[in-house]
Amino acid sequence: SPVRTWWDTTSTPTESAPGVHGDPQLVLQRWYTYMVATLTTAMSPASLRRSGPLPRLPPVCAQMSDSAELSYRELQRACKAAGLPAVGKAGELRERLLAGAPPPPSRPEVLEGALLERCLEEEAVQLLDPAAKERVLGYVRALLRYNARTNVYARSSYDKLPFHVADSVTLGLMISEAATPSSSVLDLGSGSGLPSLLLAAVNPQMHVYALESKSRKTRFLAQAGAELRLPLYTPITANVHEFARVSFVDADFVTAKAFKPLPEVAPIAAACVGRRALLHVPVSEAQVRDISLAESQLLRRGRFVYYREAVVPARSLVKRRDFGGGGAGAAD
């Protein structure tokens, strides 16, 4: 059984843990770590919500984690049980356990409140007018509620959601500065609505087309767009290549966040647009270094970086549908 296996590995002395054998305190500490980690893994999400947060590791277990008694796998289990990130080197995991950082809340209403508060603290969100700010917060609420039953955003990445919200809002503000009253945006690979829904939340007067291949995600996009009262927000369920074969959008701006490798994005964007457009892609500093992007190709706003490139239609518009205008395209 799992308990028998655990007992054999815990109570048997090894070169790396010679002091465990016959030491009741260490055996008890390992038993606690093992049981909390096992319960966290085995319980269903519904059971976890009903039970509330599991107990945190007591100080004695955190102190033990600083010794050489815990293997790397046990350190990972202890971090998961304490609600801490379980990736990194062994020394980093020990430091996290010793720091005693509070675990993320597991109850939906507490989680929602914590994320909304962190989003409100973002500088980009603070720049918005009250109505736009409420639309941004409404998006976060809608995403958490929908994601509880249908996975459209990785639950393990909720801690990164405020960053992505601020990144998308910043992009929306940048586009609004360069846009005209008739401007429109095409977002490639919209996923959970980052950035397309937030572009529309910041610019409700602008047509935003969200191209996404997975129907479970476009159902969320349509539902959230309706809840946020964004009538000019249009989700499109289609593969980008199939869409480009039969359709195009007369967009002035194209965005793509976590969509494809950067060198592939511009050719896809050029195949999907019906006129010259400006492509904006959020990138990390690591991507800037790895791809050797020139500063002239980048826009920087605070801690956010965006790759920018002008794209022109790469295909004839004849016999292709203008998705925005609804009619057949004309020859160039």
Side-chain angles (χ1 to χ4, degrees), residues 126-201:
Q126 292 176 8
L127 294 174
L128 300 175
D129 62 69
K133 189 179 298 183
E134 183 54 38
R135 285 192 293 269
V136 170
L137 298 182
Y139 162 77
V140 176
R141 296 188 192 99
L143 175 63
L144 295 178
R145 186 171 60 251
Y146 193 92
N147 208 52
R149 61 181 187 276
T150 304
N151 182 38
V152 296
Y153 182 92
R155 297 182 183 92
S156 59
S157 297
Y158 277 154
D159 62 320
K160 300 181 179 66
L161 182 58
F163 173 88
H164 294 304
V165 167
D167 186 19
S168 300
V169 169
T170 301
L171 181 56
L173 291 171
M174 289 172 50
I175 288 176
S176 66
E177 293 171 3
T180 65
S182 61
S183 292
S184 59
V185 181
L186 171 63
D187 183 48
L188 302 174
S190 292
S192 58
L194 296 164
S196 65
L197 268 168
L198 293 177
L199 298 181

Side-chain angles (χ1 to χ4, degrees), residues 162-241:
F163 173 88
H164 294 304
V165 167
D167 186 19
S168 300
V169 169
T170 301
L171 181 56
L173 291 171
M174 289 172 50
I175 288 176
S176 66
E177 293 171 3
T180 65
S182 61
S183 292
S184 59
V185 181
L186 171 63
D187 183 48
L188 302 174
S190 292
S192 58
L194 296 164
S196 65
L197 268 168
L198 293 177
L199 298 181
V202 174
N203 303 286
Q205 78 291 346
M206 191 179 298
H207 283 277
V208 177
Y209 300 92
L211 186 55
E212 168 59 44
S213 61
K214 296 181 176 63
S215 60
R216 76 172 188 278
K217 295 184 177 181
T218 51
R219 282 194 296 270
F220 164 69
L221 298 179
Q223 178 178 311
E227 289 180 11
L228 300 178
R229 298 182 180 178
L230 298 170
L232 301 184
Y233 181 75
T234 307
I236 305 170
T237 307
N239 173 275
V240 290
H241 301 291

Side-chain angles (χ1 to χ4, degrees), residues 102-142:
S106 60
R107 295 185 183 277
E109 63 274 12
V110 179
L111 173 64
E112 178 181 302
L115 287 175
L116 290 176
E117 184 177 348
R118 288 179 57 196
C119 288
L120 281 172
E121 292 172 353
E122 292 288 346
E123 182 179 354
V125 177
Q126 292 176 8
L127 294 174
L128 300 175
D129 62 69
K133 189 179 298 183
E134 183 54 38
R135 285 192 293 269
V136 170
L137 298 182
Y139 162 77
V140 176
R141 296 188 192 99

Side-chain angles (χ1 to χ4, degrees), residues 7-19:
W7 177 259
D8 291 340
T9 57
T10 302
S11 59
T12 303
T14 64
E15 291 183 5
S16 61

